[in-house]
Amino acid sequence: MTLEEKQQDIIDEFAIYDDWMDKYEYIIELGKDLPMIDEAKKTDDRLIEGCQSRVWLATDVQDGKMRFTADSDAIITKGIIGLLIRVLDGETPKSVATSDLHFIGDIGLQEHLSPTRANGLLSMVKKMKLSALKAAAE
Amino acid sequence: MAEDIAYQFDVESIRKQFPTLSQEVYGKQLVYLDNGATAQKPKTVIDAIERYYEVENANIHRGVHFLSQQATDKYEEARRVIQRYINAPLEEEVLFTTGTTGGINLVAYSYGELLSEGDEIIISAMEHHSNIVPWQMLCERKGCILNVIPMNESGELIMDEYRKLLSSKTKLVAVTHISNTLGTINPVKEIIRLAHDSGAVVLLDGAQSIQHMPVDMQALDCDFYTFSGHKVFGPTGVGVLYGKKELLDRMPPYQGGGDMIEKVTFEKTTYNGLPHKFEAGTPHIAGGICLGEAFRFLETMDLEGIQHYEKELASYAESELLQIEGLRIIGTAAKKTSVVSFVIDGLHPFDIGTLLDKQGIAVRTGHHCTQPIMDFYGIPGTVRASFAFYNTKEEVDALVRAVKRSAEMLR
């Protein structure tokens, strides 16, 4: 599945919700269910301090593919992280670095990636892309 | 209790004067409980802003023409309205600033110039970052020492510890009148009296007090008092610093520019008198005039009644919220204003706030620019509902319902 197909998949999943609370119910379930980062990897150098919630991000390159695991102390943030990882994990460095993550806006969650939201998600996406750029250059 | 609240205060007629309150967000009636961050504006203030830019706009203090003279008169009239409201002895003791932060920075910079190495400054454990960082910067610049009055678990300052911190080395005490996070009303009269006994001056951060209670500069006898226009139903970008004339006279100017000078030559410049010495450049003229309008509005309100009503709302909110399993109120001082900060065990404030937003409830979540308070309680943040006189018991009920629903979803 291409990165674009994965985004479309998520957009289709969210299309059934016309109520905000139902949408968030689903994000919360994603946050609860998804296996996240190893506790041992929750180190300060992987911590992204948001004003509101904290995010840990571990990046790796395996067989030419970007691998991401991440976690947050806030469950809604965690659910959105799950969606971002679903789209970006396993992609090539080039594909991650140049990705246009339009699905976030399409499913109505753009506010979570706004600079004023300060939940660490915008910084996380930037870090993901930077690590991909670095991997692509190597 | 509901009946009590209803008949003491005609809240519906007050709400009609605040157009922002009547809108829907996400298809739900807006419940605005973020008044500690900023207050909504009455129609009279909004009309004054529009009128200013439509027909009154001109620069002040320098034009000979009609509009300039009129704008100058209105700006200076606003200063007198504020002077009257806070019972400042002299109008030149009322300085227009950009807000509370601007006022504190002015004092930290300018009064700070009168301090020397080893002088001590006292703040408290419940200060907003705006009343911490300017003093840390001053300490770095001048080699002064910053001391902090600790607080107890309820969120009350420990006055015995304050007494111990005071000495002849103490030059300035800067404390908040009311905590933005905890709602604690500090015993500022006692704090001021003790500081004066030690020969120190006192700055009160009034950002959270002036909109909730009568404040009287002469009765308080504080040396500086500062607040933001936008939290007191006026425009953003404007605020006030009250300072005693004898202190302001001794202090050097904070910023140089137009309006603050008497005579400029390349050899030597002499400064204008108060308040202009501290008001360099073209000020926020519309802001000042319309802040005056906000105080005219407040003058029509029954301040004692407001205080009582807001307290009732907050107490009702606390008792209803406490029915929710695992919910704890952060800030349980005996003397509190209408701020209700809470956490729910196992749930992140950000998650609760996000879900409240989608139910039309506007609250603030996070550390509220008071990270030391969060460290003290060992929490990442709180959810804070802060009430104004236009809030209603029905809105409290909507908040409680929405918090319950959010907690159920997150558990």
Side-chain angles (χ1 to χ4, degrees), chain A residues 19-22 24-26 28-29 32 50-54 73-77 108 111-112 117-119, chain B residues 26 28 348-359 364-367 380 405-406 408-411:
Chain A
D19 181 89
W20 276 106
M21 293 307 269
D22 294 340
Y24 274 94
E25 188 104 58
Y26 181 55
I28 290 163
E29 291 316 312
K32 281 178 182 167
C51 190
Q52 296 271 357
S53 58
R54 309 203 293 171
D73 55 351
I75 199 152
I76 291 173
T77 308
E111 67 192 56
H112 290 282
R117 197 69 184 197
N119 51 12
Chain B
Y26 309 111
K28 309 260 172 20
H348 199 288
F350 172 78
D351 290 328
I352 301 169
T354 302
L355 295 180
L356 290 181
D357 171 50
K358 293 296 178 280
Q359 296 170 85
R364 173 104 187 251
T365 66
H367 53 59
R405 183 166 179 206
S406 308
E408 280 161 14
M409 280 171 71
L410 291 164
R411 282 215 171 92

Side-chain angles (χ1 to χ4, degrees), chain B residues 8 80 85 238 258 284 323 338 349 357:
Chain B
Q8 279 164 4
R80 285 190 290 277
Y85 192 87
V238 67
H284 185 356
Q323 313 286 325
S338 54
D357 171 50

Side-chain angles (χ1 to χ4, degrees), chain A residues 37-109:
Chain A
I37 202 167
D38 283 347
E39 277 303 310
K41 284 189 177 172
K42 279 191 181 178
T43 52
D44 281 352
D45 59 324
R46 294 192 180 92
L47 176 63
I48 300 163
E49 282 279 4
C51 190
Q52 296 271 357
S53 58
R54 309 203 293 171
V55 170
W56 290 265
L57 171 71
T59 61
D60 202 0
V61 191
Q62 283 172 11
D63 306 324
K65 302 282 169 66
M66 296 305 300
R67 304 311 309 258
F68 298 108
T69 50
D71 203 350
S72 173
D73 55 351
I75 199 152
I76 291 173
T77 308
K78 206 166 153 176
I80 298 167
I81 287 175
L83 294 172
L84 287 165
I85 289 185
R86 195 167 128 195
V87 171
L88 295 176
D89 184 56
E91 292 293 324
T92 63
K94 187 166 174 262
S95 160
V96 171
T98 58
S99 60
D100 167 18
L101 299 168
H102 61 83
F103 80 98
I104 289 286
D106 293 345
I107 61 176
L109 300 179

